[in-house]
Amino acid sequence: MSQFRPKYVTFDCHGTLINFQMAEAARDLYGSILDEARMTEFIKNFAAYRLDEIMGDWKPYAEVVHNSLERTCKRNNVVFRDEDARMVYERVPTWGPHADVPAGLAKVAKEIPLVILSNAMNDQIPSNVAKLGAPFHAVYTAEQAQAYKPRFQAFEYMFDMLGCGPEDILHCSSSFRYDLMSAHDLGIRNKVWVNRGHEPANPYYGYTEIRDISGLPGVIGL
């Protein structure tokens, strides 16, 4: 991996670069009515339903959040309110980066163009990207691709827009289910897993593991 000089370093955004705070939002809404065991189960279910909601045809992310929260509430016998889903959705652009991100990105950006492929809406992602502290060559969204990751269509849209192939990039993500499994299947050989504790390691998918973005420059010899 250290010998590979990609044309682009591509990233998942929310979770990998941005501190993705869906669990905290759920706790703010329901922590006062659920004990810790039930709250933990609720958060796990909410994550699972969000993934399930994006596996079909594209729809606005507000609907993804609404539907997944409604299904999670139903499963956990909690009253669902439309305004709670709106609150969660409206928090997304307020989130900022993990502390390790700006310095690590800035070092890489001096040498290699950075690209984001995000399951975001066009009107939300600029606020998050502005907080990352580094310039990006391009930012692509699920709304533009009309498909959410892990669907291949999202990655293929990025390849088409960049005019490159899977052999030309290094893809960096904290998620196997959203990013690295699809990247593997699409032939992206050069992958970095940022181990933020979201998911367990899965060496089958072939990647270099780093603890946080401060380790990324070393992966590509910077």
Side-chain angles (χ1 to χ4, degrees):
M1 176 79 72
S2 63
Q3 303 303 309
F4 177 64
R5 188 77 164 188
K7 291 183 180 178
Y8 304 98
V9 181
T10 61
F11 296 88
D12 165 62
C13 187
H14 296 91
T16 302
L17 303 178
I18 293 293
N19 185 12
F20 193 61
Q21 299 178 62
M22 283 291 185
E24 290 83 350
R27 283 187 181 278
D28 288 346
L29 286 169
Y30 308 111
S32 63
I33 60 174
L34 297 174
D35 62 28
E36 183 55 31
R38 291 187 66 203
M39 191 72 246
T40 299
E41 180 68 13
F42 188 100
I43 289 168
K44 182 178 73 173
N45 297 158
F46 188 28
Y49 283 125
R50 290 198 309 273
L51 179 61
D52 185 65
E53 282 288 330
I54 64 174
M55 296 303 285
D57 293 339
W58 183 86
K59 57 194 171 193
Y61 195 64
E63 292 183 26
V64 172
V65 172
H66 180 282
N67 295 350
S68 57
L69 188 61
E70 184 174 31
R71 295 168 72 188
T72 303
C73 286
K74 180 179 180 180
R75 180 167 173 176
N76 289 272
N77 297 311
V78 173
V79 174
F80 169 77
R81 302 185 305 169
D82 288 340
E83 55 265 37
D84 292 339
R86 285 197 299 273
M87 182 276 284
V88 174
Y89 177 76
E90 290 170 359
R91 280 194 181 186
V92 174
T94 71
W95 296 335
H98 296 282
D100 54 273
V101 167
L105 284 183
K107 188 171 184 178
V108 177
K110 292 177 182 178
E111 303 292 334
I112 302 172
L114 308 183
V115 175
I116 283 175
L117 179 63
S118 175
N119 279 354
M121 296 292 291
N122 295 342
D123 63 350
Q124 287 194 319
I125 193 70
S127 177
N128 299 122
V129 173
K131 299 177 177 71
L132 293 176
F136 279 82
H137 171 77
V139 177
Y140 302 122
T141 68
E143 184 176 5
Q144 293 167 351
Q146 289 293 287
Y148 288 102
K149 299 177 298 178
R151 292 191 60 202
F152 291 178
Q153 181 178 330
F155 290 90
E156 290 165 341
Y157 175 83
M158 178 178 70
F159 295 150
D160 288 346
M161 295 301 293
L162 292 174
C164 72
E167 69 279 3
D168 297 319
I169 70 170
L170 170 67
H171 191 66
C172 183
S173 178
S174 61
S175 175
F176 291 96
R177 298 184 79 179
Y178 279 92
D179 282 83
L180 297 178
M181 291 180 179
S182 295
H184 173 274
D185 292 343
L186 284 166
I188 301 174
R189 295 183 61 187
N190 297 284
K191 300 179 290 297
V192 170
W193 176 46
V194 186
N195 184 359
R196 297 208 183 273
H198 303 155
E199 302 172 18
N202 195 333
Y204 173 82
Y205 290 99
Y207 52 84
T208 296
E209 178 181 345
I210 59 176
R211 181 186 63 188
D212 57 42
I213 298 299
S214 67
L216 183 61
V219 173
I220 48 182
L222 300 179

